[in-house]
Amino acid sequence: VSRAPTDCVQYYTGTSGTIRSFNWAGSQLLRGMDYRICIRDEKGYCSISYKESSGTSIDAFSILNPAASSSSAAEASTGQCIKTGGSGLIIHSGVSTDGVIPLNPALVLEGFPSQFCGGIFGTDGSTSSGQTLTSARKPFELSLFTAPAATITSPSTGFSLAYSQNGC
């Protein structure tokens, strides 16, 4: 029997699945959220990839706040989502395209960005959805943080991310 680690509000098992913020299906990101999401690392798998869920009728990633550049772009590498805007998705270990090699410093400010907001899940300034980001650091954990007084710009729906663990 597998139990969720302490303080994991959402716990996922299996090599692939979908992670959704609370009230995503209600089409509204909630204020005052601060919770951890954990994914059990399966035997023989050493990294995990995340991307926006496909085929959804609701926007798969929309955490809009004053720090996000626009609803049609991503904000990630500058780390301003939570510091300035008061809300964001945190991937604790940071991510890159393969989880091992840092992102190109000419394109982003951090080699392994960890905070995400905006209208697209991806690195700073991304304007097309479908970017897959990978972490090779365990444990596989994310957090959603929205300050109680955060200014959440409509239509912030939260997120629905597909995850897939990658073999060693």
Side-chain angles (χ1 to χ4, degrees):
V1 175
S2 176
R3 291 189 168 195
T6 303
D7 298 331
C8 290
V9 174
Q10 292 182 12
Y11 184 57
Y12 295 86
T13 61
T15 58
S16 63
T18 303
I19 304 164
R20 293 186 176 112
S21 58
F22 290 135
N23 206 41
W24 175 79
S27 299
Q28 181 59 53
L29 183 63
L30 301 173
R31 287 189 187 116
M33 297 282 103
D34 185 3
Y35 63 90
R36 191 164 61 142
I37 303 159
C38 304
I39 302 142
R40 181 179 68 196
D41 53 302
E42 302 295 343
K43 185 176 180 180
Y45 292 84
C46 293
S47 65
I48 189 167
S49 297
Y50 304 97
K51 66 179 181 178
E52 288 184 26
S53 297
S54 59
T56 62
S57 59
I58 300 168
D59 192 350
F61 191 88
S62 182
I63 301 176
L64 305 178
N65 60 47
S69 51
S70 78
S71 63
S72 61
E75 172 71 37
S77 304
T78 61
Q80 294 299 310
C81 294
I82 293 170
K83 181 179 177 185
T84 304
S87 61
L89 176 67
I90 303 162
I91 299 177
H92 294 277
S93 56
V95 293
S96 69
T97 53
D98 67 357
V100 177
I101 299 171
L103 297 171
N104 183 341
L107 302 176
V108 296
L109 296 175
E110 293 179 46
F112 294 95
S114 62
Q115 291 185 24
F116 300 88
C117 60
I120 294 172
F121 177 71
T123 56
D124 272 346
S126 296
T127 56
S128 61
S129 60
Q131 187 171 16
T132 300
L133 296 174
T134 301
S135 173
R137 296 182 186 134
K138 294 182 181 182
F140 302 143
E141 295 180 351
L142 305 90
S143 290
L144 178 65
F145 180 81
T146 58
T151 302
I152 299 175
T153 307
S154 184
S156 288
T157 57
F159 65 87
S160 176
L161 296 178
Y163 75 87
S164 178
Q165 295 189 36
N166 308 304
C168 298

